Amino acid sequence: MEQYDVIVIGGGPAGLAAAISAHENGAKTLLIEREARLGGMLKQCIHDGFGLARFGERLAGPEYVERFIDRFRALGIEAQTRTFVTRVERHEAGFTVVTVNQDGLTRYDTKTLILATGCRERTAKQVSIHGTRPAGVFTAGTAQHFTNLLGVLPTKKCVILGSGDIGLIMARRLTLEGAQVLGVYEAKPTPSGLTRNIHQCLHDYDIPLHLSHTVTRVFGQDRLTGVEIAAVDDDMKPIPGTEQRLACDALIVSVGLIPENELAESLHVPLDPRTNGPVCDGQLMTEVPGVFSCGNALHVNDLVDYVSASGEEAGRNAAHYAQRTRDEIVLGASENFQYLVPQRLDRGADNSAVTVYFRSRDVLGRCRVTLTVDGREVWSKQYPFLRPPEMQQLTLDFGSFGIADAASAQFEIEVEA
Amino acid sequence: MKELVCIGCPRGCQLKIEKNNRGEWVVTGNTCKRGEAFAISEMTAPKRTICSVVKTAFPETPVLPVRVSADIPKERIFDVMAQLRTVTVTERIGRGDVVIPNVLGLGVDIIATSNILRT
């Protein structure tokens, strides 16, 4: 049986960056991808705006990810594509990954595992819409797959539910291809997607955005013929009497992304209910020693540049992994954070450059984010505003905060009056 | 005074732009130079990037992703889209290769953004 230092599961931007970084740090590395081609979701994200932070260029999705694929190939890193991981077994020296593909079942032994399995779209069934089950109800990602990979326009006239970024991108994309987008309906009082996407995808094309509205019912037998829209109250419950019927042939849902962690759960990796991803330390190692997490499996990012960066971090740390007992403290975050990653710090690790990612729970004006260690404020930063769709990222030297001897560490957001 | 949201990067800065008494544009709210350039361009000659796909002659890869090599005037977006519909790629071209040179005389090329036909 083949023995590896690092096995990366998932060949999207996180997994590619993780495998390249593990290999460059001297690890014998294997990447496993279930699709025929590497690149993950970026294969179908043909719009531009990727790589601004990393390359200083506005690249289309395929351009961005193919730079990593080219590098991956040039380094001669092993990859198994069209290969599905069915099971991971944990034992004292590491893990055995069981895969299935056209050649049948294969077992690979590895010291460490990097879970780069990305995220999945929440579907229409998960937002309880009443009515029949006609064709024409798609997630935004499915509509994107049809339009950008298959070259098939999935609608002539549609309604978009949810203001997530993929939904906004698809509103523009479908409009460019000649479809009519009647409107984007968002149950929350504020948009879910990036502000710039509201402007460049909706305002530029005069596509209306209806906040505090939702789709309550779909109509049609074989194919969708219409949807019912209603205003919602502060608890996001439809308000009786506000229903309105719109004729359309498709409903496109963009109602959120959920980190994919079935394999992590099978290994009993504890998840954080705030991120839906694994609880991890400053080295992106989960609570199960030797199992690392990165990219959108760890938490849903809004920029692929951050996904790649977390992949590289996980790859480097997995390559240098040595079994030892961790000495962890909780890295706390007050209630007004939607989440903060990492959730733990290993006091015995090198914490001189730990990347911290966070989102606020609500839209906040001028505020100050602080870090308190053992009751003493050791760091703070001013923000002109914090918005949940726009993730914040910073690198902190926890070593300089005396974290090695600390008993508690807590982040807070203080909103200025 | 006009308020704008910068689309230069995901930060989404809220910009304000107005002319001072010397007739010069004054931009506030930006955190980098791109924001200033964007606001002035929005007031004078708005430009956008456009990304799409073109048909190919290869059944296993029916479309090839493309984009403009530089921003084009916002009001020409649908004219460029119409040009893209007239094209069928018959060679296995790759990332960065020109699909339509100097599209509609705008001084920018339509270029492929993927090596998908070569892999």
Side-chain angles (χ1 to χ4, degrees), chain A residues 376-396:
Chain A
R376 191 168 53 91
E377 186 182 304
V378 294
W379 173 90
S380 75
K381 186 177 175 186
Q382 295 273 352
Y383 288 89
F385 53 82
L386 289 174
R387 292 189 286 233
E390 281 140 35
M391 192 186 77
Q392 302 296 325
Q393 177 243 37
L394 42 100
T395 302
L396 293 179

Side-chain angles (χ1 to χ4, degrees), chain A residues 115 117-119 257-262 264-265 269-280 286-287 292-300 339-341 343:
Chain A
L115 302 175
T117 42
C119 58
L257 300 167
I258 307 165
E260 169 60 52
N261 279 295
E262 271 187 44
E265 286 179 279
V269 170
L271 302 185
D272 177 353
R274 285 178 167 189
T275 55
N276 288 312
V279 170
C280 68
T286 69
E287 292 290 89
F292 295 79
S293 176
C294 58
N296 283 351
L298 177 59
H299 64 103
V300 176
Y339 69 72
L340 186 138
V341 174
Q343 299 90 342

Side-chain angles (χ1 to χ4, degrees), chain A residues 58 63 66 70 176 204, chain B residues 48-49 67 95 114-115:
Chain A
R58 281 186 353 227
E63 286 177 293
E66 287 178 16
D70 291 350
L176 285 173
D204 273 3
Chain B
R48 292 292 182 271
T49 286
R67 67 171 166 91
R95 203 162 77 233
S114 173
N115 282 335

Side-chain angles (χ1 to χ4, degrees), chain B residues 11 20 27 31 37-38 40 47 50 57 65 79 87 103 107:
Chain B
R11 188 191 287 259
N20 64 15
V27 180
T31 40
F38 171 77
I40 294 169
K47 288 186 161 187
I50 177 165
D79 298 336
V87 177
V103 63

Side-chain angles (χ1 to χ4, degrees), chain A residues 33 99 146-147 164 173 190 254 265 285-286 305 312 356 383 417:
Chain A
E33 164 59 42
T99 67
F146 275 116
T147 314
R173 183 79 190 100
T190 56
S254 177
E265 286 179 279
M285 184 151 71
T286 69
D305 309 68
E312 281 163 350
V356 174
Y383 288 89

Side-chain angles (χ1 to χ4, degrees), chain A residues 44-348:
Chain A
Q44 69 182 54
C45 295
I46 63 157
H47 54 282
D48 80 308
F50 300 94
L52 203 63
R54 188 182 187 91
F55 299 119
E57 291 178 69
R58 281 186 353 227
L59 302 170
E63 286 177 293
Y64 180 93
V65 79
E66 287 178 16
R67 288 190 179 186
F68 289 82
I69 296 173
D70 291 350
R71 176 99 183 118
F72 180 90
R73 295 236 167 86
L75 292 170
I77 304 170
E78 279 183 71
Q80 289 287 343
T81 53
R82 287 187 177 162
T83 300
F84 200 85
V85 175
T86 56
R87 195 168 74 241
V88 180
E89 294 159 9
R90 186 182 172 194
H91 39 81
E92 252 170 49
F95 307 88
T96 301
V97 177
V98 185
T99 67
V100 64
N101 61 19
Q102 285 175 319
D103 303 328
L105 279 173
T106 312
R107 297 166 65 86
Y108 302 98
D109 271 356
T110 182
K111 286 185 205 155
T112 66
L113 208 56
I114 300 178
L115 302 175
T117 42
C119 58
R120 305 285 169 264
E121 293 178 281
R122 191 169 281 137
T123 64
K125 286 212 179 76
Q126 289 165 300
V127 289
S128 58
I129 299 167
H130 299 286
T132 48
R133 289 285 177 267
V137 182
F138 307 108
T139 64
T142 303
Q144 193 177 45
H145 184 95
F146 275 116
T147 314
N148 295 348
L149 291 182
L150 304 180
V152 174
L153 195 60
T155 175
K156 292 192 178 77
K157 190 175 180 183
C158 68
V159 159
I160 298 182
L161 173 63
S163 56
D165 285 309
I166 316 170
L168 302 177
I169 294 287
M170 282 315 293
R172 173 176 66 182
R173 183 79 190 100
L174 293 167
T175 304
L176 285 173
E177 289 294 351
Q180 192 187 352
V181 179
L182 296 175
V184 174
Y185 293 83
E186 168 60 58
K188 286 184 287 200
T190 56
S192 303
L194 294 173
T195 311
R196 72 158 178 172
N197 282 338
I198 303 291
H199 285 263
Q200 66 180 353
C201 298
L202 302 186
H203 295 180
D204 273 3
Y205 298 91
D206 297 321
I207 301 167
L209 170 64
H210 303 274
L211 298 171
S212 299
H213 278 73
T214 193
V215 171
T216 45
R217 186 175 280 273
V218 297
F219 304 99
Q221 283 306 319
D222 297 331
R223 178 77 193 198
L224 191 86
T225 56
V227 297
E228 184 186 79
I229 306 287
V232 298
D233 62 20
D234 293 344
D235 298 322
M236 296 209 278
K237 295 266 186 314
I239 302 168
T242 63
E243 299 88 355
Q244 170 196 0
R245 190 169 166 165
L246 294 177
C248 56
D249 65 10
L251 170 65
I252 291 166
V253 289
S254 177
V255 288
L257 300 167
I258 307 165
E260 169 60 52
N261 279 295
E262 271 187 44
L263 280 173
E265 286 179 279
S266 78
L267 285 163
H268 306 292
V269 170
L271 302 185
D272 177 353
R274 285 178 167 189
T275 55
N276 288 312
V279 170
C280 68
D281 65 14
Q283 285 65 48
L284 300 184
M285 184 151 71
T286 69
E287 292 290 89
V288 174
V291 178
F292 295 79
S293 176
C294 58
N296 283 351
L298 177 59
H299 64 103
V300 176
N301 291 256
D302 34 57
L303 279 197
V304 70
D305 309 68
Y306 298 145
V307 166
S308 300
S310 76
E312 281 163 350
E313 236 176 285
R316 187 177 58 245
N317 292 325
H320 296 300
Y321 171 71
Q323 284 191 2
R324 64 174 175 82
T325 308
R326 275 187 285 180
D327 175 20
E328 286 190 327
I329 59 165
V330 171
L331 198 52
S334 57
E335 276 300 308
N336 48 10
F337 283 94
Q338 188 183 114
Y339 69 72
L340 186 138
V341 174
Q343 299 90 342
R344 302 280 186 273
L345 282 178
D346 174 8
R347 286 185 287 198

